[in-house]
Amino acid sequence: MKLPFSQACENNKDPILGVLEVAFANASQVLEVGSGTGQHAVYFAKKLSHLEWQASDQPEYLPGGKARIEKEGVSGQPLPVEFDVFQSAPDGQFDALFTANTCHIMPKEGVEALFNHLGDKLKSVKLLCIYGPFNDNGHFTSDSNRAFDQSLRTRDSQMGIRDKQWIAKLASQHGFHLKNTHTMPANNQLLEFQR
């Protein structure tokens, strides 16, 4: 099987790693939501060797992620598990959750469902890092993000760049506070939460 590949993952893995090295320094088990190609999963598992990195995604994306982890993952790295945010969350005592470039792809109800899991089956999660493009109080942070949002909504009216403040409000409903907003390349941000 030819491994799936995302250029965006390749471009953003080192800037994200720089944040996770500090944000997840005291974590032990991370659940990655929307692992896709598995590129982040294998890279972060290698670079953050104190963590057990559990990839997850919707069923159609699991074969590619599984193939990559089998070929490139660290010894003993768990294979991706199925996780559709509208279904039950995976089993495990995860103390951290990471997701990249998912909030603008999911419908708003999907983002809400993800946070609801943090108040239910994923109550053990204390650290949360969300990477992607975000608006600031309803305003685009760049012309490229405005154009990206338009292209997303053309593909699917339920897609779109979300407001950072809305994400923070959802997080606060489950006991998280926004600890840091990290400015990232290509007009992205990494929102770091803690509870």
Side-chain angles (χ1 to χ4, degrees), residues 31-34 56-62 81-90 106-107 109-111 113-114 117 122:
L31 174 64
E32 180 185 4
V33 177
S56 73
D57 213 321
Q58 297 177 70
E60 61 263 37
Y61 301 110
L62 292 179
V81 294
E82 182 178 336
F83 185 24
D84 178 325
V85 294
F86 292 109
Q87 307 296 327
S88 181
M106 288 189 252
E109 295 79 10
V111 181
L114 175 60
H117 287 296
L122 298 176

Side-chain angles (χ1 to χ4, degrees), residues 7-45:
Q7 189 60 51
C9 283
E10 204 60 29
N11 295 347
N12 64 34
K13 65 184 184 182
D14 284 317
I16 293 173
L17 176 65
V19 174
L20 297 187
E21 283 175 329
V22 177
F24 288 172
N26 297 314
S28 58
Q29 287 192 292
V30 178
L31 174 64
E32 180 185 4
V33 177
S35 303
T37 64
Q39 286 165 255
H40 279 161
V42 297
Y43 189 70
F44 297 146

